[in-house]
Amino acid sequence: MLDNAPSFSIEQLEFFAEALSKTTDSFVYIFDLKADSVYISEQAAALFNIPGRKFDHAWETLFRLVYSEDYALFSAESDNIKSGRKDTFNLEFRALNKNGKAVWLSMRGTVIPTGKEEDSKSYLIGRIAIMDELDRIDPLTNLPTEMQFRKDFAKVWKKNQKVSGFIFKIDVDNMGRINEQFGTHTGDFVLTLIADCIRTSAKGIAVPYKLNSDEFVCMNLTGASAVDAQKIYQNLKRTIAETEQKIDYEVVFTVSAGAVAFFNDSTQLDELLKKINYTLANAKEKGRNNLNLFNAVEYTKHLRNLDLQEKLRDSIKNNFKGFQLFYQPVVDAKELYLDSGNSVTNVIGAEALLRWSCPQYGTITPDEFVPILEKSGLIIPVGRWILLTGFMQCHEWNKVQKDFHMSINLSYIQVKKSDILSDVQMALEKSGVKPENITLELTESGYMDNTQELQTLVDSFRALGMKVDIDDFGTGYSNLRYLQYLKAYTLKLDYSFVHKATGGDQGDSKVIKHITQMAHELDMKVCMEGVESAEDIEKLQIYEPDKYQGFYFGRPCGSIDFREHHLRPDSKIDTYKKSPFDF
């Protein structure tokens, strides 16, 4: 940001901008960041769908013009300006003109403060130029820009209507940290170093280009293979290591890359870039500083997930159409049956399990759609629906069986990203259910790095009068330390853990025995999941569990089937317990 900037009124700035616009073909603009308004050269309104030379709701208006493929880049650059992380705007992107055609623009600007301190404002002042040069070279790295990259691809594709070779995209892993720690000048210096490394590594194999922000691509359209892309990346990592040594490791940086190889492929560039961007994102998710090659099977699954995500969103908007709660019975292991003939199972509660279906795909398993809900954040509204629906169902069933309890699973993402206590309290109030008949289930593996957070959450739920169970104990990173201080109501041993014991694994049998004993000593109950046969019960009885859950007692089912087959009316309790020989 400019130091000791003089104070100007907006009227004076607009006067200067009007004067400048008469001396250049570029569009001069003044962006009032505080008021979210723009003053721009009059000729811009003749080419683009903007309200005029001066308009409010500026960011929203500009976003509507940005070509969809460049939206993310424009959004990232504008966020940097709005948040104050950067004071310069420098981006080449495409915008749609009045005819709906994508036009390449170069937008540059600098944030200038003006006014007195008590009512200071900040203006982004600069110019927008239409890029119509035949060849574009990035001034920082001297590499061809994205515009040239697209022209080079289009030239080959137009000639043959297909291409063979590969496109290899590179992203600097820690560019944001470098800019924050050392400043943008150092960041620019690092980009020039990386550009030199890429130029050296790709020589004789592919043509390098500089994209917007901190990304590069290398392209070969002469039939090279994925092996050649791997060779570039291996050369690049070695060259970067040598470069870091030459600058005495004053700055350390790594790069991630994604590559897509193709042979006689008629796919257009934007579709190829979608595949490359997906592949590059996977490289970063896998730990960064690595190369990820395109996998068609994984990409097909990715596209399906994106489609499912939109259909899940539509279901939520349509009053949760397609969502349903199924219920699996939980039985008392101490008193399995209510009658002497062992025909009436002592069902003391149920676990609510989410199900979802849609017209196109039919019923989708929770293993597939729940991770999509969690990754997209849609688990938050769905989680609220689960709470209210499950609580209301429990309230209804308590009219028949007053001691019946309902168990509701809470997603770790749901807990982290929403006000879960308020959501639970709201569901309690709306449903009218008694808190003591509700059990909330948490999976402890999500809280490995913050045990205090889990402790606080459990204490808060208990203060509301509800029980808290620890679900899936025995999987992942299960930690015995939780048993010492968490004071959960029930410890649920995961079915995979239990199956090893019923299958004869002596090691797991000993572990289950000690865990159960420890839980009981800490006044916790133990529920063993995955019970599938009478033989399982015989093997598990030696551990003296308190509850069972599994297919042997009933598969998850809808509320009508559950009530018909599992609910125990209090009015019939004496009938159940009467001996068949009593008359």
Side-chain angles (χ1 to χ4, degrees):
M1 193 173 290
L2 299 179
D3 296 326
N4 301 319
S7 177
F8 293 106
S9 67
I10 185 62
E11 290 77 13
Q12 290 173 309
L13 291 174
E14 291 176 359
F15 174 81
F16 296 145
E18 178 66 21
L20 284 173
S21 66
K22 295 177 181 179
T23 65
T24 177
D25 292 331
S26 299
F27 309 137
V28 180
Y29 69 87
I30 302 170
F31 201 130
D32 187 334
L33 297 174
K34 188 174 182 180
D36 191 24
S37 62
V38 157
Y39 173 92
I40 193 167
S41 301
E42 187 173 6
Q43 56 266 40
L47 294 175
F48 300 99
N49 284 317
I50 55 177
R53 67 193 306 175
K54 191 171 182 179
F55 53 89
D56 297 325
H57 308 294
W59 284 119
E60 179 183 346
T61 302
L62 293 177
F63 272 118
R64 285 201 296 266
L65 301 178
V66 177
Y67 185 61
S68 59
E69 294 291 333
D70 299 335
Y71 189 91
L73 291 172
F74 190 88
S75 178
E77 192 73 0
S78 61
D79 284 345
N80 285 333
I81 293 295
K82 288 187 282 187
S83 66
R85 289 191 295 268
K86 290 179 63 176
D87 54 24
T88 58
F89 193 104
N90 186 359
L91 190 65
E92 294 177 359
F93 64 99
R94 286 162 291 177
L96 299 177
N97 64 16
K98 286 188 174 181
N99 296 322
K101 181 181 178 181
V103 179
W104 275 96
L105 300 177
S106 170
M107 180 174 174
R108 296 187 179 182
T110 300
V111 176
I112 298 177
T114 184
K116 296 180 180 179
E117 186 172 341
E118 59 269 17
D119 63 342
S120 63
K121 295 184 177 182
S122 291
Y123 298 99
L124 177 65
I125 299 178
R127 61 98 178 122
I128 300 174
I130 297 177
M131 298 169 58
D132 56 1
E133 295 88 347
L134 293 177
D135 297 310
R136 290 294 301 173
I137 300 296
D138 177 62
L140 179 64
T141 63
N142 286 324
L143 290 176
T145 64
E146 181 173 348
M147 179 181 241
Q148 189 61 44
F149 163 63
R150 288 180 173 276
K151 286 183 177 180
D152 290 347
F153 181 91
K155 182 178 179 180
V156 175
W157 192 93
K158 187 175 181 180
K159 180 180 178 181
N160 303 311
Q161 299 293 298
K162 56 187 177 182
V163 288
S164 296
F166 67 81
I167 299 177
F168 173 73
K169 190 172 184 180
I170 304 157
D171 181 85
V172 186
D173 290 326
N174 53 346
M175 200 69 229
R177 183 188 61 78
I178 291 172
N179 284 328
E180 291 177 7
Q181 184 174 355
F182 301 103
T184 55
H185 292 297
T186 300
D188 288 345
F189 174 64
V190 168
L191 290 177
T192 62
L193 294 178
I194 293 175
D196 290 339
C197 292
I198 294 174
R199 191 181 285 110
T200 300
S201 302
K203 187 175 182 180
I205 306 176
V207 179
Y209 302 84
K210 173 68 174 66
L211 302 188
N212 289 308
S213 187
D214 54 357
E215 295 181 332
F216 301 81
V217 292
C218 294
M219 180 169 66
N220 175 290
L221 298 179
T222 59
S225 67
V227 174
D228 297 302
Q230 289 176 307
K231 183 178 179 181
I232 292 177
Y233 188 72
Q234 292 167 358
N235 292 341
L236 180 58
K237 290 189 72 172
R238 185 182 66 253
T239 307
I240 286 176
E242 294 170 354
T243 300
E244 289 174 334
Q245 185 178 17
K246 288 179 182 178
I247 63 174
D248 294 327
Y249 302 100
E250 291 185 9
V251 184
V252 178
F253 45 90
T254 60
V255 294
S256 295
V260 174
F262 34 81
F263 179 74
N264 287 340
D265 195 332
S266 60
T267 305
Q268 294 280 10
L269 180 58
D270 282 342
E271 287 302 311
L272 287 175
L273 287 177
K274 290 178 182 178
K275 296 178 180 180
I276 296 167
N277 290 335
Y278 162 76
T279 305
L280 176 58
N282 273 357
K284 287 183 169 291
E285 288 179 2
K286 292 176 180 177
R288 304 189 176 192
N289 194 28
N290 66 83
L291 167 66
N292 192 46
L293 299 177
F294 177 75
N295 182 299
V297 174
E298 290 180 356
Y299 186 64
T300 299
K301 181 180 178 181
H302 167 69
L303 294 179
R304 173 182 164 92
N305 286 347
L306 291 179
D307 192 33
L308 285 175
Q309 180 176 312
E310 288 310 304
K311 286 177 171 51
L312 285 163
R313 194 185 306 276
D314 290 341
S315 291
I316 293 169
K317 291 180 179 178
N318 194 18
N319 199 27
F320 298 93
K321 183 178 180 180
F323 286 100
Q324 186 180 2
L325 286 186
F326 272 29
Y327 305 92
Q328 185 172 33
V330 177
V331 303
D332 188 340
K334 301 296 186 183
E335 187 181 0
L336 268 178
Y337 301 101
L338 292 173
D339 64 330
S340 58
N342 294 348
S343 62
V344 182
T345 307
N346 188 9
V347 176
I348 58 176
E351 179 180 359
L353 301 169
L354 183 64
R355 297 292 184 264
W356 179 72
S357 62
C358 67
Q360 180 175 344
Y361 295 107
T363 300
I364 306 297
T365 65
D367 287 345
E368 183 174 10
F369 75 80
V370 170
I372 297 173
L373 289 175
E374 292 183 328
K375 189 173 183 179
S376 63
L378 295 174
I379 191 65
I380 295 175
V382 172
R384 294 189 183 110
W385 177 85
I386 293 172
L387 287 170
L388 183 57
T389 304
F391 285 15
M392 291 176 66
Q393 186 64 76
C394 185
H395 179 63
E396 287 300 309
W397 285 343
N398 286 149
K399 296 176 183 178
V400 178
Q401 184 178 337
K402 64 181 180 181
D403 61 348
F404 185 91
H405 71 266
M406 183 71 74
S407 296
I408 306 286
N409 290 283
L410 296 182
S411 160
Y412 176 72
I413 302 299
Q414 177 189 4
V415 172
K416 290 291 291 183
K417 294 188 176 182
S418 67
D419 189 346
I420 190 64
L421 284 177
S422 294
D423 291 343
V424 169
Q425 286 176 309
M426 184 72 71
L428 286 172
E429 293 173 5
K430 287 186 176 181
S431 66
V433 70
K434 293 181 179 179
E436 58 266 29
N437 288 332
I438 294 295
T439 300
L440 300 176
E441 295 191 5
L442 298 168
T443 303
E444 42 81 38
S445 59
Y447 301 85
M448 289 299 296
D449 296 330
N450 196 338
T451 56
Q452 184 57 49
E453 181 180 12
L454 180 58
Q455 174 87 59
T456 302
L457 190 62
V458 171
D459 290 342
S460 299
F461 289 144
R462 291 173 62 200
L464 291 174
M466 296 178 292
K467 301 178 181 67
V468 177
D469 287 357
I470 301 301
D471 194 18
D472 293 341
F473 195 85
T475 62
Y477 299 97
S478 294
N479 196 322
L480 291 175
R481 284 192 302 117
Y482 290 115
L483 301 185
Q484 300 175 18
Y485 65 82
L486 203 54
K487 298 179 182 177
Y489 182 72
T490 302
L491 188 70
K492 301 187 71 174
L493 299 185
D494 182 71
Y495 73 92
S496 61
F497 196 31
V498 173
H499 280 188
K500 291 179 181 179
T502 58
D505 190 308
Q506 294 301 314
D508 283 299
S509 295
K510 291 179 180 179
V511 172
I512 289 177
K513 178 180 179 181
H514 291 304
I515 290 176
T516 304
Q517 183 178 350
M518 186 181 300
H520 285 157
E521 289 175 353
L522 294 171
D523 295 325
M524 295 174 62
K525 295 184 181 299
V526 174
C527 178
M528 293 189 174
E529 301 180 292
V531 178
E532 297 181 348
S533 65
E535 185 181 0
D536 286 347
I537 295 175
E538 291 178 9
K539 293 178 179 179
L540 295 174
Q541 285 288 20
I542 61 173
Y543 305 115
E544 299 182 348
D546 303 282
K547 292 182 277 188
Y548 287 133
Q549 190 174 337
F551 290 166
Y552 180 71
F553 303 104
R555 292 179 177 271
C557 60
S559 58
I560 295 175
D561 286 341
F562 190 95
R563 174 166 182 157
E564 180 179 348
H565 295 107
H566 301 296
L567 205 61
R568 183 207 72 212
D570 289 336
S571 60
K572 293 186 179 181
I573 188 67
D574 292 335
T575 303
Y576 292 143
K577 293 189 175 183
K578 184 180 294 185
S579 167
F581 301 103
D582 292 340
F583 296 99

